[in-house]
Amino acid sequence: MCGIVGYVGHREAYPVIVKGLKRLEYRGYDSAGIALMNKGLTVYKKKGKVSDLEGFIKEEQLKSHIGIGHTRWATHGEPNDVNAHPHFSASGKLAMIHNGIIENYSSVKQDLLNKGYQFKSETDSEVLINFVEDIKNKSQCSLEEAVRLALTQIVGAYAIVIMSEDEPNKLVAARKGSPLVIGVGKDEFFLASDATPIVEYTNEVVYLNDFEIAVIEDNKLDIRNTQDIPTTPYIQTLDMELESIEKGGYEHFMLKEIFEQPKSVSDSLRGRLNAAKGHLVLGGIREYANTLVNADRIIIVACGTSWHAGLVAEYIFEEYCRIPVEVEYASEFRYRNPIIREGDVVIAISQSGETADTLAALELAKSKGAIILGVVNTVGSSIARITDEGAYIHAGPEIGVASTKAFTGQVTVLTMIALRIAFRKGTLSKTKYHELLVELETIPGKIQKALELNDQIKYIASIYKDAKNCLYLGRGYNFPVALEGALKLKEISYIHAEGYPAAEMKHGPIALIDEEMPVVVIATHDSSYEKIVSNVQEVKARKGQVIAVVTEGDQLMPKMADHIIEVPATHEALMPLISVIPLQLLSYHIAVMRGCNVDQPRNLAKSVTVE
Ligand code: M6R
């Protein structure tokens, strides 16, 4: 969480930084701040959004060719002007932006307090910049050396960028655990938490690694590790279109991303699936395909929506590959001394590739000898880089905090992996394999058809927009979809929502049902259809309001449910890719009608880089 931007070069820094911060606002929007070198080192910062900060700075103060900026998701200290970044050191000569958490900040702070330092904010970040200054003063060393020495004593996660009034043309940056990308332009450099603020200016980037410190001065980039050993920057070419990070005429990124799914799922399939030829190639897992075929079990680690995609994968891997799968919340897995055997396969699923818990779970698995694979969206992200192998989902940048196209991309890629492994293992017949490949190829078109229900779903949203609670029920492959539907509703509309396996309802949640309770039931035509029909009857008997997502042509459900949303038929293993679409749209419209900030829901951030 938190977005950071830096610039040094021939342009005016302010517009580059403000635009960059707006692109990174999905990472946190509690406060925003900028430091510029304008008649000395000056910091402007304010609670609220980047747009609040813009109105607050006067034009003449903005001239500078170097600067840093920050958009905050609060960890230490409430969102206010004082806790906003950048933070000054005690002398006012250093300013720093930070994304991450300094875990040992209180002991470092105590040492500094004993030396007479005073702190204005409650943040761990202000402690770090004072710690750097203290070392610099004591050792009479360069800024980068002081940063290096400080970081050897710091525990936690950080991506930082520091400016110094004494060295007005220099930026010093470092990372451990939080992402930092350096854009290399002609006579200019950009720093950012991800590539979106950079892509407009250059497509040449360097992804800083953990324990690396970058110094940018006099048009040169010098990177060393915390042992002071220089490394040669590895410049990569970005594969990102500017339009992919803009709203493109949609009112919100979330809506754009929902509507992009026919294309994003096609992009996930492209170059991998050719159903006519019976080809399914996943270059990213070539080396470990045999390991997967022979695996005694697979552990999936993920958080949030990615965890739901993992649950869908569990069903498909177990059904077709006959490999036991455990789907773990990364945050629980890493802290509960899990049993990991040498050769176990651990798959991480992550849109951002930066989720701290997922990353730490993978590191733990790796340290115990597991093979670690990734299903990730963000190219070059930390998870993508630490995994042994993996497959990108190629969904393109997802900016809306509520994950939509990443879910369908993850499920698509995991489905391809499972089918490939099952066929290779011999647990899936050639006929069935081909049948599933052919069906998989039709999914983008069927998602498109599901999107055509938008107006109808908007109407249903208008009926339920004032609900206080909502229950989502599904069985089999549609159970994770029920969880995902509930998560979408609660995170953007702030309506309390629960997802449940439909059969579990009678073990407790049924007590909640009355005429005030909307119940979204995913009741598509599959092997548990008859069972879920009974569950709908149970809801109706208690006067619950049923919104049923059904397969086109369903004759029974329209007689029972209050509202019917008909989606195209597909194989039940692939249905989550379609049945989730109406639930995404329903949440979106309800949130908009309630006046919620859909793309930036309260208290949330897109990329959860704190534990
Ligand atoms: O980037 P990741 O996929 O690792 O993120 C995991 C969760 O933080 C994320 O899915 C979150 O739950 C979303 N807000 C859900 O819409």
Side-chain angles (χ1 to χ4, degrees):
M1 2 267 280
C2 300
I4 64 177
V5 184
Y7 176 78
V8 56
H10 52 81
R11 297 171 206 261
E12 287 294 341
Y14 175 77
V16 174
I17 293 169
V18 164
K19 203 173 205 183
L21 289 180
K22 285 185 175 167
R23 295 237 161 94
L24 291 180
E25 226 171 7
Y26 71 89
R27 301 178 67 90
Y29 26 85
D30 289 331
S31 63
I34 287 186
L36 298 167
M37 203 63 76
N38 178 291
K39 299 184 191 133
L41 181 57
T42 320
V43 166
Y44 311 94
K45 53 187 191 172
K46 209 152 180 49
K47 178 181 172 184
K49 304 213 162 216
V50 179
S51 52
D52 298 321
L53 177 75
E54 275 181 296
F56 164 73
I57 311 180
K58 294 196 184 69
E59 187 76 37
E60 64 275 13
Q61 298 170 317
L62 303 179
K63 300 268 170 250
S64 174
H65 292 283
I66 184 167
I68 54 179
H70 187 273
T71 176
R72 178 171 187 242
W73 187 84
T75 56
H76 296 64
E78 65 175 270
N80 60 27
D81 293 357
V82 177
N83 288 330
H85 296 220
H87 288 286
F88 269 133
S89 62
S91 69
K93 294 203 162 199
L94 302 180
M96 185 186 80
I97 48 174
H98 169 217
N99 167 30
I101 286 190
I102 306 303
E103 286 169 19
N104 60 339
Y105 87 101
S106 59
S107 60
V108 177
K109 185 172 185 174
Q110 193 52 56
D111 287 348
L112 293 170
L113 285 168
N114 294 344
K115 290 180 182 174
Y117 280 81
Q118 290 178 348
F119 295 90
K120 297 187 184 76
S121 77
E122 300 154 84
T123 64
D124 51 343
S125 315
E126 192 189 8
V127 174
L128 177 56
I129 191 60
N130 278 294
F131 188 41
V132 170
E133 180 157 86
D134 188 58
I135 292 175
K136 188 171 182 309
N137 291 344
K138 205 168 53 195
S139 315
Q140 290 297 303
C141 60
S142 67
L143 174 59
E144 50 271 35
E145 178 61 3
V147 170
R148 189 182 76 77
L149 292 171
L151 294 181
T152 57
Q153 296 175 60
I154 286 298
V155 180
Y158 51 80
I160 54 170
V161 189
I162 302 178
M163 287 171 71
S164 164
E165 187 162 280
D166 292 338
E167 298 171 272
N169 299 311
K170 181 189 273 187
L171 291 176
V172 177
R175 86 156 256 181
K176 192 214 141 204
S178 300
L180 194 53
V181 190
I182 302 172
V184 183
K186 192 168 167 351
D187 305 330
E188 59 184 348
F189 291 90
F190 306 81
L191 295 120
S193 300
D194 71 29
T196 56
I198 297 173
V199 62
E200 172 165 359
Y201 309 101
T202 175
N203 62 357
E204 304 225 308
V205 295
V206 176
Y207 291 95
L208 207 63
N209 291 312
D210 277 352
F211 304 107
E212 284 185 344
I213 299 169
V215 180
I216 302 170
E217 192 176 26
D218 297 334
N219 248 324
K220 281 197 220 76
L221 169 65
D222 177 71
I223 299 181
R224 305 172 174 253
N225 63 20
T226 37
Q227 273 91 48
D228 207 21
I229 299 166
T231 61
T232 310
Y234 171 50
I235 299 182
Q236 302 187 38
T237 304
L238 274 179
D239 180 19
M240 188 188 281
E241 302 292 332
L242 189 56
E243 65 188 31
S244 70
I245 54 169
E246 291 179 338
K247 281 192 200 149
Y250 285 90
E251 201 183 334
H252 297 100
F253 279 111
M254 182 181 176
L255 190 62
K256 178 185 175 224
E257 287 156 9
I258 291 173
F259 273 86
E260 272 174 359
Q261 289 175 104
K263 178 173 183 302
S264 57
V265 169
S266 286
D267 289 345
S268 296
L269 299 173
R270 180 166 306 120
R272 292 166 165 165
L273 173 64
N274 183 333
K277 291 190 175 155
H279 286 174
L280 180 55
V281 183
L282 283 151
I285 57 149
R286 195 168 279 144
E287 203 180 313
Y288 289 99
N290 267 339
T291 314
L292 274 165
V293 166
N294 297 316
D296 291 332
R297 65 168 178 163
I298 294 170
I299 301 167
I300 293 178
V301 290
C303 304
T305 289
S306 300
W307 186 79
H308 298 153
L311 287 181
V312 177
E314 175 183 23
Y315 282 75
I316 193 158
F317 269 101
E318 294 201 339
E319 178 164 0
Y320 292 113
C321 308
R322 306 308 297 154
I323 302 172
V325 177
E326 289 161 31
V327 187
E328 302 267 2
Y329 283 118
S331 54
E332 290 298 314
F333 178 79
R334 57 180 291 206
Y335 285 120
R336 66 164 173 75
N337 197 9
I339 299 164
I340 308 166
R341 301 179 210 106
E342 188 124 351
D344 270 348
V345 179
V346 176
I347 304 178
I349 308 173
S350 176
Q351 187 288 127
S352 61
E354 301 292 348
T355 300
D357 284 321
T358 310
L359 195 53
L362 273 187
E363 279 161 355
L364 173 71
K366 191 172 193 165
S367 72
K368 305 229 175 197
I371 306 298
I372 56 170
L373 305 178
V375 173
V376 169
N377 191 30
T378 308
V379 177
S381 56
S382 301
I383 292 176
R385 285 187 296 149
I386 73 155
T387 39
D388 295 309
E389 271 201 313
Y392 283 118
I393 66 169
H394 296 309
E398 190 182 67
I399 314 269
V401 165
S403 192
T404 52
K405 64 176 180 171
F407 176 80
T408 45
Q410 291 161 344
V411 173
T412 302
V413 166
L414 289 158
T415 301
M416 284 192 281
I417 297 175
L419 295 182
R420 186 68 208 135
I421 297 305
F423 182 55
R424 194 155 163 172
K425 195 173 169 187
T427 45
L428 180 61
S429 70
K430 193 169 180 181
T431 319
K432 186 81 191 166
Y433 179 59
H434 281 166
E435 186 188 308
L436 281 160
L437 295 191
V438 168
E439 190 55 29
L440 190 53
E441 227 168 39
T442 68
I443 294 297
K446 291 183 177 177
I447 293 177
Q448 185 61 50
K449 278 203 83 183
L451 289 168
E452 287 162 17
L453 302 167
N454 188 37
D455 287 343
Q456 185 204 345
I457 294 168
K458 193 170 177 181
Y459 169 71
I460 297 173
S462 70
I463 298 172
Y464 294 102
K465 67 179 184 0
D466 297 319
K468 300 267 179 299
N469 298 287
C470 191
L471 199 57
Y472 285 73
L473 303 177
R475 296 180 82 122
Y477 283 96
N478 280 324
F479 160 54
V481 177
L483 296 182
E484 176 59 7
L487 175 61
K488 285 293 85 85
L489 187 69
K490 69 184 124 188
E491 70 178 329
I492 61 168
S493 72
Y494 321 139
I495 294 174
H496 171 245
E498 298 276 355
Y500 255 87
E504 270 294 302
M505 182 184 60
K506 56 187 169 293
H507 298 285
I510 198 162
L512 296 168
I513 293 176
D514 60 16
E515 58 276 15
E516 301 285 299
M517 176 67 103
V519 183
V520 179
V521 186
I522 307 118
T524 51
H525 232 287
D526 58 27
S527 51
S528 46
Y529 178 74
E530 272 79 30
K531 303 279 176 208
I532 209 155
V533 166
S534 309
N535 300 135
V536 170
Q537 269 159 347
E538 289 155 16
V539 174
K540 283 315 298 173
R542 284 146 189 96
K543 299 196 167 49
Q545 302 287 306
V546 173
I547 303 154
V549 177
V550 300
T551 308
E552 272 171 359
D554 188 307
Q555 301 292 312
L556 187 54
M557 210 53 90
K559 296 184 191 132
M560 298 162 62
D562 299 272
H563 306 277
I564 290 289
I565 301 170
E566 287 187 278
V567 295
T570 187
H571 193 284
E572 72 177 295
L574 306 180
M575 187 47 98
L577 291 165
I578 299 172
S579 56
V580 75
I581 305 293
L583 307 192
Q584 296 171 344
L585 287 169
L586 186 66
S587 311
Y588 170 79
H589 289 300
I590 289 180
V592 170
M593 287 170 195
R594 288 166 71 92
C596 300
N597 186 337
V598 173
D599 284 336
Q600 297 173 346
R602 70 182 179 209
N603 304 338
L604 281 171
K606 180 79 183 155
S607 180
V608 185
T609 54
V610 297
E611 297 170 13

